Every structure is written in C-alpha cells, then in structure tokens.
Amino acid sequence: MKIPDNKLSSVKSFFLEELKEFEEANIFFSICCDAWLGMSRTDLFLGQDKMLSESEILKFLFGIKALKNNEPVQYVVGETWFYDLKINVEMGVLIPRPETEELVHWIIQSEKKSLSILDIGTGSGCIPLSLKSNLSSASVSACDISEEAITIAKANAERLKLEVNLFSMDILNESLWIDEKFDVIVSNPPYIPIVEKNIMHENVLAYEPDLALFVPNDTPLLFYDKIAVFGLRNLNKGGRLYFEIHEEFGAETLAMLKNKGFVDLEIKQDMQEKDRMIKAVLR
C-alpha cells in the first residue's frame, strides 16, 4: 500500500492501516500531528484536505517504522505533555506518567507560600519545571545522577524559560551530598523490583532507562531510605517530603519514615485508587 497523495486524510488512512494491530493507532496519529504539524484534534477534524510536504510525510513514514518496533510514541516525536507543559524527552530519560502529574498537583495545592524545593532524580525535569511554572515565587532545584538527564532537563528549562537550578548528584553516595536546606523535597525515584520485569511491557523494557526504573528485589525502599536520611539533614524544620511510591510498598514506606522521626504521615491514592503518593513532615 502506498500513500496516493499528500492530503492529510490520505496520510491518516495509510498510518492507521499500517498500524492496525495497535489499539492506540488513532491516538498515535493525533500525537504525531500535534508534534510535527502543530495540529490539535479540532484542527485534524477540520483540516482533512491539508496538503503535507514531502519532508512531513517522511516523518510519518519513519514514525510508522519506529512504532512498529514498539518504540514509545513520546520518544518517536521527542516530546510529551506534562501538567500543561510540553516536555522534550529522549531515551535517556523516563517518559512522565499521569500519576506523577497527580503528585505535582498535590504539591501545588498544598504549598502556597514562597519556598525552596528540591526534586531528586529529575529525569526530563518535568516535576521541577511544572512546580516552578505554577509556584513562581518558589526557588526550585533538581538533581540527577545521569548527566544525559541533566542535559535534557536544562534544555527543557531554557526552552520553557523557567528558572530551575539543575545539578548532578548521586543520592546513594552520602559523600557527594550538597549542604543546603530546603522546605520541600520531592522525588519519583526508581522503585520497581527487578523481579517485575517479566510482567512489564516490552516498549518500556526496550527503550526506557533501567537506571530510572529498577531497584534490587531485596531493597525495594533503597532510594526512599536514602532520601529520607538526606531529608533529615537538608530539610528545614517543618519541611515536607513528597514521594511517588510503588503501590505495594505504601505501608513499608510509611513505617520507614515514621521510624526515622517524620510526622503527619499521609498516603494518597491516584485516580486508579492505588496507593501512589506519600507526604511526610520533619518534626
């Protein structure tokens, strides 16, 4: 099958036929049109006769090939929407998830005053950038062990014209910790035990970075424990920790934080009614 002409409607028909085994083919097409043509869903409905250039059609052809190889559509187009911000993503960073938007929303609704915030394990920078966008008076910093992630996050900050201090830090290495106080520390760290690889989608395993996803089976709270210790040292009195968590380890994470002396512990469910977020306060 070939594309008979350069009309958008013809490209769409070809795209959907080539990807007919994917339930999300229509969604993929909308995402590609938004990224490559600047067309919203309304534009797509009204612009079926739009003529595409050869270079635009070539993007769709390469996109079809990548999607057939199970590459996530966000990597194919190089971007995704997160809390009303368009965030650039590459295979060196995790694709932001809707539940992380819920974590960001919780912080924005809870933290109204001027404050200092640190995001640990920032990846694309989606968390600190969305926080800075909505809490403009806050001083926002973010770190990651991955230099590639820091480069991508800095590029996002510059493009969005949002002031976030980004730096490299290995949270598991206490000798490298910074000596600075914060009112809020937030993190969506690696929390998936390696044993769960066998139940995960191939497009995640093949393309998203293991470094941002997995922890050893015998230490599922590895990062939470270290960040909590960091919080004891680097949070101001009354400072808050916010975590995105594994749905199966909510009780264990709460117990760990309580044992370290954090108070006013709160666990929050996501829209799927799964335990997904935790808030804790430094006494």
Side-chain angles (χ1 to χ4, degrees):
M1 180 181 175
K2 293 184 178 180
I3 305 176
D5 54 54
N6 287 26
K7 280 186 180 181
L8 178 62
S9 58
S10 299
V11 174
K12 180 178 181 180
S13 296
F14 179 83
F15 187 97
L16 297 182
E17 177 61 26
E18 288 292 306
L19 297 172
K20 60 186 177 184
E21 70 270 26
F22 293 89
E23 291 181 8
E24 313 95 327
N26 271 294
I27 296 173
F28 291 165
F29 186 73
S30 295
I31 290 172
C32 290
C33 287
D34 176 44
W36 295 332
L37 305 177
M39 297 182 72
S40 67
R41 292 190 179 186
T42 302
D43 295 331
L44 289 178
F45 179 74
L46 299 174
Q48 291 297 300
D49 291 333
K50 175 182 172 66
M51 300 299 290
L52 274 57
S53 68
E54 292 299 325
S55 62
E56 288 170 336
I57 290 177
L58 197 59
K59 288 181 180 179
F60 282 92
L61 294 176
F62 279 117
I64 289 168
K65 183 178 180 180
L67 291 166
K68 283 184 174 181
N69 287 329
N70 289 310
E71 184 172 336
V73 66
Q74 295 90 344
Y75 290 151
V76 173
V77 300
E79 63 187 36
T80 191
W81 285 97
F82 183 89
Y83 214 84
D84 292 332
L85 295 179
K86 187 173 279 190
I87 302 291
N88 289 346
V89 291
E90 300 175 15
M91 281 189 276
V93 295
L94 198 66
I95 297 167
R97 266 57 171 187
E99 51 267 30
T100 308
E101 289 184 289
E102 294 184 56
L103 175 66
V104 165
H105 185 70
W106 190 19
I107 297 171
I108 290 170
Q109 294 300 306
S110 303
E111 307 289 344
K112 298 295 187 182
K113 62 180 182 177
S114 177
L115 70 167
S116 57
I117 302 172
L118 173 66
D119 174 41
I120 297 176
T122 197
S124 65
C126 61
I127 290 177
L129 291 170
S130 55
L131 290 175
K132 182 62 178 178
S133 179
N134 288 273
L135 301 171
S136 58
S137 63
S139 172
V140 182
S141 298
C143 64
D144 203 291
I145 189 176
S146 166
E147 292 291 347
E148 185 176 5
I150 293 298
T151 299
I152 294 168
K154 283 183 176 179
N156 277 320
E158 291 172 7
R159 181 177 50 80
L160 294 167
K161 296 180 171 56
L162 291 169
E163 186 178 346
V164 172
N165 174 37
L166 289 145
F167 60 95
S168 298
M169 186 175 75
D170 179 2
I171 193 62
L172 299 183
N173 188 340
E174 295 188 25
S175 67
L176 300 178
W177 287 358
I178 60 171
D179 184 20
E180 186 176 345
K181 295 286 188 178
F182 299 93
D183 299 308
V184 169
I185 293 174
V186 56
S187 185
N188 173 24
Y191 58 67
I192 303 173
I194 292 173
V195 69
E196 292 187 18
K197 277 190 173 186
N198 62 353
I199 61 171
M200 295 179 68
H201 292 296
E202 178 60 31
N203 63 340
V204 174
L205 295 175
Y207 293 99
E208 298 200 58
D210 282 10
L211 186 67
L213 290 168
F214 298 108
V215 288
N217 295 327
D218 58 346
T219 53
L221 302 187
L222 173 65
F223 284 90
Y224 298 101
D225 186 84
K226 279 293 187 180
I227 294 168
V229 174
F230 179 87
L232 292 174
R233 182 189 301 184
N234 292 75
L235 276 172
N236 289 318
K237 185 177 180 180
R240 283 78 65 199
L241 276 180
Y242 288 89
F243 285 138
E244 182 176 325
I245 64 168
H246 191 298
E247 62 188 272
E248 299 296 332
F249 296 111
E252 291 90 335
T253 309
L254 283 176
M256 179 272 293
L257 291 167
K258 184 177 180 180
N259 288 339
K260 284 182 166 39
F262 286 91
V263 297
D264 297 335
L265 301 169
E266 184 178 354
I267 194 163
K268 192 175 181 67
Q269 292 186 327
D270 63 13
M271 293 179 66
Q272 308 302 318
E273 298 185 343
K274 296 178 179 179
D275 291 344
R276 188 62 75 180
M277 294 159 273
I278 281 179
K279 177 183 178 181
V281 178
L282 182 65
R283 191 191 304 273

